């Protein structure tokens, strides 16, 4: 016979549960950077992008609409609202300001409502289509936010580039001196 032990809630457990539920319903706010001008801005943006890569966007931060999907599928298509349309305002605090220009160029951007709108009809179930929309939104924001971030080359890469540039200059000098010698030999006129 199994014996169940009573679950004891303490202040620490209740606080941990509250923190977990708050973390599940929100994303960390993006840094207040409109442009990435300085190396410090780039570092702050890289840190945010690295953190954002591991996070998932919760449903509570977006507006979801459901409708009947079109196309083949029989009764399921005709009776069940499986098509998902996701709408997210561009001025959300978790979307970085430096990414707005790239998002506005994206096909999912709707200028009349200044929002990102994504649809999914890939799956037969509504929950899978919701997850698909959220992952598409995550990719749009991630790509737009990391587009302006420039990665500095490492010391090894810099040394390799310098070596290749020196080798190219030496090859070019040798080729030019060879062509110069050919032209000089033409003018000497040693045919007699």
């Amino acid at each position: 016979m199994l014996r169940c032990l009573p679950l004891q809630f303490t202040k620490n457990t209740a606080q941990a549960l509250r923190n977990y539920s708050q973390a599940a319903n929100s994303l960390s706010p993006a840094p207040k950077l409109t442009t990435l001008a300085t190396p410090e801005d780039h570092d702050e943006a890289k840190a945010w992008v690295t953190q954002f890569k591991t996070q998932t966007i919760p449903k509570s931060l977006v507006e979801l609409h459901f409708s009947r999907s079109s196309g083949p599928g029989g009764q399921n298509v005709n009776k069940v609202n499986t098509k998902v349309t996701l709408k997210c305002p561009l001025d959300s605090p978790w979307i970085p300001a430096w990414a707005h220009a790239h998002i506005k160029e994206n096909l999912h951007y709707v200028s009349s409502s200044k929002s990102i709108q994504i649809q999914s009809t890939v799956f037969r179930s509504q929950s899978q289509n919701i997850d698909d929309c959220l992952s598409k939104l995550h990719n749009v924001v991630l790509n737009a936010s990391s587009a302006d971030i420039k990665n500095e080359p490492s010391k090894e890469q810099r040394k390799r580039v310098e070596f290749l540039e020196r080798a190219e200059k030496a090859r070019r000098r040798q080729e030019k001196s060879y062509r110069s010698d050919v032209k000089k030999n033409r003018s000497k006129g040693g045919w007699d």
Side-chain angles (χ1 to χ4, degrees), residues 112-131:
S112 61
S113 63
K114 295 183 181 174
S115 63
I116 304 167
Q117 185 172 344
I118 298 173
Q119 292 183 350
S120 179
T121 57
V122 177
F123 301 101
R124 287 174 53 99
S125 83
Q126 192 180 76
S127 62
Q128 287 178 314
N129 283 333
I130 291 172
D131 292 340

Side-chain angles (χ1 to χ4, degrees), residues 40-99:
E40 292 81 21
D41 293 347
H42 280 278
D43 292 340
E44 193 174 351
K46 279 184 201 175
W48 183 86
V49 167
T50 304
Q51 181 184 10
F52 184 71
K53 281 181 184 177
T54 61
Q55 296 175 330
T56 57
I57 301 171
K59 295 180 209 175
S60 61
L61 295 180
V62 296
E63 187 179 317
L64 296 170
H65 297 283
F66 308 101
S67 58
R68 292 189 180 128
S69 186
S70 62
Q75 242 177 348
N76 190 60
V77 170
N78 298 332
K79 291 189 172 185
V80 183
N81 292 331
T82 57
K83 178 181 176 181
V84 176
T85 304
L86 176 143
K87 202 174 205 180
C88 178
L90 187 62
D91 58 355
S92 297
W94 58 272
I95 297 177
W98 72 83

Side-chain angles (χ1 to χ4, degrees), residues 28-53 93-94 96-98 142 145-146 148-152:
S28 58
K32 305 284 185 214
L33 304 171
T34 54
T35 59
L36 302 178
T38 64
E40 292 81 21
D41 293 347
H42 280 278
D43 292 340
E44 193 174 351
K46 279 184 201 175
W48 183 86
V49 167
T50 304
Q51 181 184 10
F52 184 71
K53 281 181 184 177
W94 58 272
W98 72 83
L142 186 63
S145 61
S146 57
D148 284 339
I149 297 175
K150 296 176 184 140
N151 292 329
E152 292 295 320

